Amino acid sequence: MKKNYLIIICILFFAGCHTKNEMDEQTFWQLMDIVKEKSGFDMALRYDTLVTLLTEHEPIDILRFKNIADVYANAAAENKAVWAACRVMEGAACDDVYMNFCCWLITEGKETYLEAVRNPESLATEEMLAYSDRSIELLSFAAFDAYKRKTGQSVDEITETIANMLIAEYKTLSVDLIKNIDFMDDAPFQGINADAVRQIPVIFPKLTALFGYDPDADIIIEGDL
């Protein structure tokens, strides 16, 4: 009898070892580290790797991943100092380019993300020059693709109860996840105009020198945030 109990305990233990952690902040950033390690500088591979890894999680955790990703991406996008960094590094910062840049920043990992929103000059490294582009499809799209692959259903088919639960969780996350993040004062860039563009090399001399940014050749284009 004792032997049977031991066998059951062992089965439960090893089964637990292969169960993915519930999607929370820690699991989210661990996933980002794995994605970057597996994909290197290839953005298409990074996206596909993320979708594949997400399918190893439960459907509800895939949706919780989307919530966490959206909070971090929106928080970065709201800081216009990150907008300035995007203009320098990507050569433009219109809506799609900027949001994809913020998502790329998240996939670089927690340390890089937190330091970049605190001071975009931290992105002035030789490693950042190794990327042909610093843009990845919205992480919410990866969650949608993973959910479809996992369940065979569209996210639009989730129940109203689950949808309401996720909305409530997002509201909580939008406070809890960013309350301890140190964002740079972005007042010089708030106008999103020619004056803001001229401030970029003054405030970010290392970043603009590394990427060869010329504010005199830059213009504000339609769609800039």
Side-chain angles (χ1 to χ4, degrees):
M1 184 65 70
K2 289 183 178 179
K3 183 177 180 180
N4 289 338
Y5 280 135
L6 180 60
I7 292 174
I8 293 173
I9 291 172
C10 289
I11 291 173
L12 292 174
F13 174 79
F14 286 109
C17 288
H18 290 84
T19 300
K20 290 293 181 180
N21 293 333
E22 181 177 313
M23 189 61 64
D24 56 14
E25 180 184 8
Q26 181 179 0
T27 303
F28 177 90
W29 286 118
Q30 288 173 345
L31 183 59
M32 291 298 97
D33 290 340
I34 296 171
V35 167
K36 183 180 179 181
E37 181 181 357
K38 287 181 174 291
S39 60
F41 299 104
D42 187 328
M43 292 298 100
L45 178 58
R46 186 172 293 192
Y47 182 88
D48 292 342
T49 300
L50 175 56
V51 173
T52 298
L53 291 175
L54 279 174
T55 60
E56 299 176 5
H57 291 266
E58 294 300 318
I60 190 62
D61 286 321
I62 296 174
L63 299 178
R64 285 187 169 124
F65 168 89
K66 176 189 177 300
N67 266 355
I68 296 172
D70 284 349
V71 168
Y72 283 126
N74 290 334
E78 287 175 6
N79 188 275
K80 297 306 181 286
V82 180
W83 166 85
C86 180
R87 286 189 75 92
V88 173
M89 299 173 73
E90 292 300 281
C94 55
D95 291 5
D96 290 346
V97 173
Y98 186 35
M99 288 307 300
N100 289 344
F101 177 84
C102 291
C103 288
W104 162 79
L105 191 58
I106 293 170
T107 65
E108 284 294 290
K110 183 177 182 179
E111 183 177 344
T112 299
Y113 172 87
L114 292 178
E115 187 60 22
V117 298
R118 187 189 71 82
N119 177 22
E121 280 275 76
S122 65
L123 295 172
T125 68
E126 292 297 324
E127 179 184 354
M128 296 306 167
L129 286 176
Y131 288 95
S132 58
D133 65 88
R134 287 148 292 272
S135 175
I136 188 171
E137 285 282 355
L138 298 181
L139 301 185
S140 56
F141 290 174
F144 294 155
D145 290 343
Y147 187 86
K148 178 74 172 181
R149 188 184 300 181
K150 180 80 173 184
T151 67
Q153 296 180 318
S154 167
V155 172
D156 295 335
E157 299 177 67
I158 64 175
T159 66
E160 184 177 352
T161 299
I162 293 178
N164 289 335
M165 179 192 71
L166 290 168
I167 291 172
E169 289 183 359
Y170 178 85
K171 290 179 179 177
T172 300
L173 288 170
S174 64
V175 175
D176 292 346
L177 292 184
I178 65 174
K179 63 184 178 183
N180 295 319
I181 297 179
D182 183 14
F183 291 96
M184 182 175 182
D185 180 6
D186 62 353
F189 308 112
Q190 282 294 332
I192 309 299
N193 52 32
D195 288 337
V197 169
R198 284 192 287 270
Q199 288 297 313
I200 294 176
V202 176
I203 298 175
F204 301 137
K206 295 179 181 179
L207 196 65
T208 51
L210 183 65
F211 285 88
Y213 178 75
D214 180 5
D216 293 330
D218 202 356
I219 59 173
I220 301 295
I221 63 174
E222 184 177 356
D224 255 320
L225 294 174

